[in-house]
Amino acid sequence: MLVLEGILINAFETPKGKTKEGKEYGGESKIQVMYENTLVNGEKRTELETLTVSDLTPYKGKEKSPVRVPVALNVYQGKAYL
């Protein structure tokens, strides 16, 4: 299992709604985590990742604090995606 470590920037729920066809959307729990990515040449780049989580409870009120989030990694055409 991979773990993303960074600073929690935001925890929120996406707005809910319905399409013209009556299909519901939204209501997902999301967090935004800022982390450092080390490049091949040794330089560091700060990145912001928005992740969908099953429950916001562990993250509420912890903005600007370090967090560890278990993530899945997908590879597509030689690039890795969280």
Side-chain angles (χ1 to χ4, degrees):
M1 172 174 57
L2 295 174
V3 176
L4 176 67
E5 293 185 39
I7 304 297
L8 180 65
I9 301 300
N10 194 15
F12 62 98
E13 187 173 307
T14 59
K16 294 180 183 178
K18 287 189 178 184
T19 64
K20 292 179 184 177
E21 295 80 29
K23 187 176 178 181
E24 292 185 6
Y25 65 89
E28 296 177 315
S29 299
K30 301 222 178 224
I31 61 171
Q32 292 179 306
V33 179
M34 189 177 307
Y35 65 98
E36 271 189 357
N37 186 8
T38 304
L39 304 174
V40 178
N41 64 0
E43 295 283 332
K44 295 188 185 226
R45 177 175 65 198
T46 302
E47 300 200 31
L48 179 68
E49 193 71 42
T50 302
L51 305 168
T52 301
V53 294
S54 59
D55 184 17
L56 281 179
T57 307
Y59 305 102
K60 282 292 186 182
K62 294 186 178 176
E63 286 82 359
K64 299 181 184 172
S65 298
V67 293
R68 294 172 50 104
V69 184
V71 295
L73 185 67
N74 296 313
V75 178
Y76 179 70
Q77 294 184 344
K79 291 190 177 185
Y81 300 93
L82 293 178

